[in-house]
């Protein structure tokens, strides 16, 4: 944390979790020249970026030959992107292993429902960027080099309730949309909308409006360190939001 209370790791995690698109850079197979392309992205429970790309795309062929890659994500709420924060993630772009495909599919489609129409095509596959380092630019004097430990959830915490995440997200979307709306509008001060929950992890929850236009990240006061901690934290936050709304 800096003297003004800015927490670089938290800012970077928020940018990564909120991003739905980013600039993906790979190395051209012909001569190693950096090749940048626009990619749709989501995150795995530990924060690892994941994308769905075609085997016919140049960036896929580039990564298959040389896995070194980077992903730039920005604050999508800004009219001028240079006035907002951005983070570049550097690492290795690799296919998601077979055991992790269904998880990647669920997490990706929660952020990109329209991709369901081609997510099962044989010439499309999920790829993950295994982060090795990161570079955050968040304004004057806020330029930070970050490590994987700064931007990703500790593996031990990420697996605490991974099996329960899908059920928790579905339950909240089906039965507690009012609570999700208050998370966004009361706790985060965002505009009203049809807010849904798209994911949960040890550090917080990811939300998005049903039309896919806006995303948000609500960080927990304390990390959820046990399977029942997610439920308890969501209940506590719902009560806090309801009380604040009533007092307003």
């Amino acid at each position: 944390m800096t003297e003004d209370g800015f927490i670089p790791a938290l800012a970077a995690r928020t940018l990564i979790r909120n991003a739905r698109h980013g600039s993906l850079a790979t190395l051209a197979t012909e001569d190693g020249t950096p090749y940048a392309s626009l990619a749709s992205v989501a995150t795995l429970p530990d924060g690892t970026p994941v994308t769905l790309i075609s085997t016919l795309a140049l960036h896929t062929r580039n990564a298959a030959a040389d896995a070194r890659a980077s992903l730039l994500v920005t604050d999508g709420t800004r009219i001028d992107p240079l006035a907002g924060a951005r983070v570049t993630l550097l690492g290795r772009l690799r296919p998601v292993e077979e055991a992790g495909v269904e998880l990647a599919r669920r997490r990706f489609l929660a952020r990109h429902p329209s991709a369901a129409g081609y997510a099962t095509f044989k010439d499309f596959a999920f790829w993950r960027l295994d982060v090795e380092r990161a570079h955050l630019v968040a304004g004057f004097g806020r330029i930070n080099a970050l490590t994987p430990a700064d931007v990703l959830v500790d593996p031990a915490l990420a697996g605490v309730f991974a099996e329960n995440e899908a059920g928790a997200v579905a339950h909240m979307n089906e039965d507690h949309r009012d609570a999700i709306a208050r998370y966004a509008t009361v706790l985060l001060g965002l505009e009203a909308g049809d807010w849904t929950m798209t994911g949960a992890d040890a550090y917080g929850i990811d939300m998005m409006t049903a039309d896919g236009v806006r995303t948000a990240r609500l960080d927990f006061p304390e990390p959820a360190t046990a399977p029942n901690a997610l439920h308890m934290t969501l209940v506590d936050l719902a009560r806090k939001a309801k009380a604040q709304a009533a007092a307003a």
Side-chain angles (χ1 to χ4, degrees):
M1 180 185 297
T2 61
E3 293 181 357
D4 61 357
F6 177 69
I7 305 175
L10 178 59
R13 289 200 302 267
T14 298
L15 283 168
I16 297 165
R17 296 287 190 171
N18 274 339
R20 296 184 69 238
H21 301 91
S23 297
L24 177 66
T26 53
L27 300 177
T29 56
E30 297 85 357
D31 55 9
T33 301
Y35 170 80
S37 55
L38 183 63
S40 298
V41 296
T43 57
L44 298 176
D46 70 345
T48 295
V50 63
T51 186
L52 177 63
I53 51 182
S54 169
T55 56
L56 302 177
L58 281 178
H59 48 221
T60 309
R61 284 182 277 173
N62 291 343
D66 188 330
R68 288 177 295 172
S70 65
L71 176 70
L72 168 69
V73 296
T74 65
D75 180 356
T77 66
R78 299 277 185 165
I79 296 177
D80 178 5
L82 292 178
R86 56 269 193 195
V87 62
T88 300
L89 304 171
L90 302 95
R92 311 279 167 161
L93 187 64
R94 300 184 173 102
V96 172
E97 61 280 6
E98 185 175 352
V101 168
E102 286 309 311
L103 174 61
R105 186 192 314 278
R106 175 173 62 78
R107 297 276 303 191
F108 187 86
L109 292 183
R111 301 292 273 186
H112 304 278
S114 62
Y118 58 86
T120 57
F121 288 4
K122 291 184 178 180
D123 60 338
F124 276 82
F126 291 98
W127 289 61
R128 55 182 287 157
L129 180 67
D130 292 325
V131 179
E132 297 175 351
R133 63 187 191 277
H135 187 249
L136 172 71
V137 178
F140 182 76
R142 293 181 172 180
I143 300 175
N144 301 89
L146 302 173
T147 68
D150 291 321
V151 298
L152 303 177
V153 177
D154 181 273
L157 285 179
V160 165
F161 54 82
E163 294 182 0
N164 301 325
E165 184 215 5
V169 170
H171 172 67
M172 290 297 295
N173 285 331
E174 293 169 5
D175 300 331
H176 300 290
R177 291 285 273 272
D178 55 339
I180 300 173
R182 281 193 287 269
Y183 293 158
T185 59
V186 179
L187 298 184
L188 294 177
L190 301 175
E191 294 183 6
D194 187 9
W195 288 97
T196 65
M197 188 185 300
T198 60
D201 58 82
Y203 290 162
I205 59 172
D206 303 315
M207 297 178 288
M208 184 175 72
T209 51
D211 58 10
V213 173
R214 289 175 288 163
T215 60
R217 171 74 174 177
L218 178 63
D219 290 291
F220 296 153
E222 298 291 338
T225 57
N228 64 339
L230 174 61
H231 172 74
M232 295 171 62
T233 300
L234 292 175
V235 170
D236 287 344
L237 290 173
R239 289 171 178 166
K240 178 182 179 182
K242 191 171 184 178
Q244 289 185 14

